[in-house]
Amino acid sequence: MAYTCTSDVTDAPSVSATGKARTISDDRRRQLRPATLEDVARLAGVHASTASRSLAERPVRISSATVARVREAARSLGYRRDNSAAALRTGSSKLIGVLVHRLTDLALSTMYSGVDSAAAAAGYSAVVANGLDNPAVRRERLDALLARRIDGVILADARLDDTLAGHLQELGVPYVLAMRTLPGHLSVSTDDLEGGRLAARHLLEQGHRRVAVAAGDPLASTGRDRTAGFREVFAGAGLAIPDERVAATGFGVAAGHQAGDLLCELDPAPSAVFAVDDLTAVGVIGALRDAGRTVGSDVALVGYNDVELAADLPVPLTSVRSDRDLMGRLALELLLDRISGRDVSSVLLSPVLVPRASTLDARPGGDTQHRKDC
């Protein structure tokens, strides 16, 4: 029998191997239809229930050869498992919600990276939402996460005026706080009181006596505790820091610049500043520069978190290191333990001070040369 080839793409009928007439458009519609579980099972030569169990994160009572055959069939057909349907069947969506105030914050993005990596290793996916430190937005974003049938929540933007943690507790949704803490709630964080103490001891050792603080947000445990630890050490040395030398303007570059502007109005000017966050410290640097002062020469500066850019600034920044990647990983592990009903307790990581030129090269004696010209 002779066969001819044609480029005609009309709906002219063709004949299948069984002799049944079909059209090219029939094939095209079949190809456009998303692959189903039954398609996968048929190609793999197994029952649909076997195919379903083979595609689960942790197949049970299925041979590795069958699992491999089914998954290869799913891959070749472009089959995508319906996670929402699976969630209804199993009661688990394999989704974790993460609420942060801004993922553009370098410390939070590193923490989230740890969560995401640990979630993937455990067969979960992490979904992040920005709360913007706005109560209405935070509640809206949390409700959106809950609507996705997430298995649990990592709250990385808790505040003292928070109601979200209590709301999750009332709903019975497993949750863990990360980075920030609240009394009575499970958390993974750095010992921020001790971190503030480390910054203060370092500046005292460098000879600084007249200091100031860019204190971040006092409603966040990170801002509150880091500032408290810092002031505690200076008070213990007989050098109590008055409130007017503590500028609580929030976190980030813009807030840090605002804090720096306020601190430059002090008379006499501080010889050193502790910023409770590295990006806040960057803003302080800008304010000091605008006022004619140079970090690392006539004024010392300590930041917090030791984000990647800290060591690469024009004057490398002394900073208190907080292992945010580990924090994220531990928060995810703790949340999965809580989801599984295992006993859990909060984790407090130890901070480490990393000294660099922003404090090691500054001259404490310079504080007598600057009054309101700071």
Side-chain angles (χ1 to χ4, degrees):
M1 178 182 293
Y3 294 88
T4 59
C5 297
T6 176
S7 60
D8 188 6
V9 292
T10 66
D11 285 348
S14 61
V15 180
S16 69
T18 61
K20 182 179 179 180
R22 70 186 184 200
T23 66
I24 293 174
S25 60
D26 287 334
D27 287 340
R28 184 174 298 144
R29 280 191 290 270
R30 186 175 295 110
Q31 291 167 1
L32 291 175
R33 175 178 62 80
T36 66
L37 184 64
E38 288 71 21
D39 295 331
V40 174
R42 190 178 305 112
L43 181 59
V46 298
H47 191 275
S49 62
T50 302
S52 177
R53 286 185 289 140
S54 297
L55 294 172
E57 295 291 346
R58 294 180 176 82
V60 178
R61 295 190 298 277
I62 303 288
S63 71
S64 58
T66 298
V67 170
R69 191 166 73 252
V70 169
R71 291 186 175 183
E72 174 58 25
R75 186 199 63 75
S76 66
L77 291 173
Y79 173 73
R80 295 291 181 268
R81 193 163 180 255
D82 186 344
N83 289 325
S84 60
L88 291 173
R89 290 194 305 270
T90 65
S92 173
S93 65
K94 295 295 183 180
L95 288 176
I96 298 298
V98 185
L99 194 62
V100 301
H101 61 270
R102 284 180 181 82
L103 199 58
T104 52
D105 183 303
L106 296 178
L108 281 172
S109 63
T110 304
M111 187 280 298
Y112 174 71
S113 177
V115 171
D116 189 56
S117 297
Y124 283 76
S125 295
V127 182
V128 67
N130 294 310
L132 307 179
D133 274 333
N134 181 309
V137 173
R138 294 176 75 238
R139 183 58 178 266
E140 176 186 312
R141 299 290 164 81
L142 177 61
D143 288 344
L145 289 173
L146 293 174
R148 300 187 66 170
R149 298 179 179 272
I150 53 175
D151 290 346
V153 180
I154 293 176
L155 282 179
D157 68 341
R159 294 161 53 90
L160 283 179
D161 58 356
D162 199 353
T163 59
L164 293 193
H167 179 57
L168 288 169
Q169 197 169 43
E170 292 171 359
L171 292 175
V173 176
Y175 68 95
V176 172
L177 274 58
M179 209 155 203
R180 299 179 182 180
T181 64
L182 286 174
H185 294 277
L186 186 70
S187 64
V188 180
S189 62
T190 299
D191 187 344
D192 288 322
L193 275 169
E194 181 59 21
R197 295 183 189 116
L198 289 176
R201 293 179 191 127
H202 175 68
L203 290 177
L204 282 172
E205 290 167 1
Q206 296 299 307
H208 295 279
R209 298 295 180 267
R210 188 159 56 249
V211 297
V213 186
D217 183 353
L219 291 178
S221 65
T222 45
R224 182 186 68 249
D225 291 350
R226 295 167 189 177
T227 300
F230 187 83
R231 297 182 78 175
E232 173 193 304
V233 169
F234 270 87
L239 299 166
I241 302 171
D243 290 344
E244 60 267 22
R245 290 182 170 265
V246 178
T249 55
F251 296 108
V253 176
H257 202 294
Q258 182 183 357
D261 287 340
L262 293 172
L263 298 178
C264 279
E265 292 296 320
L266 294 172
D267 184 11
S271 69
V273 176
F274 172 46
V276 299
D277 168 78
D278 286 343
L279 291 185
T280 304
V282 171
V284 172
I285 291 172
L288 292 170
R289 176 204 61 218
D290 293 348
R293 298 196 69 181
T294 304
V295 169
S297 58
D298 60 359
V299 61
L301 179 64
V302 180
Y304 203 106
N305 283 320
D306 195 28
V307 300
E308 286 72 11
L309 65 78
D312 291 323
L313 290 170
V315 177
L317 178 67
T318 294
S319 187
V320 179
R321 177 172 295 163
S322 171
D323 194 335
R324 291 101 55 213
D325 180 80
L326 176 60
M327 187 184 300
R329 293 174 183 275
L330 291 176
L332 189 281
E333 292 174 10
L334 205 61
L335 180 59
L336 295 185
D337 284 342
R338 196 168 205 182
I339 290 170
S340 299
R342 289 188 282 270
D343 290 335
V344 290
S345 57
S346 294
V347 176
L348 200 60
L349 301 176
S350 297
V352 177
L353 185 123
V354 183
R356 297 191 180 99
S358 69
T359 56
L360 297 179
D361 295 342
R363 298 187 298 273
D367 61 359
T368 60
Q369 302 169 9
H370 295 274
R371 298 177 67 84
K372 285 190 176 181
D373 59 338
C374 169

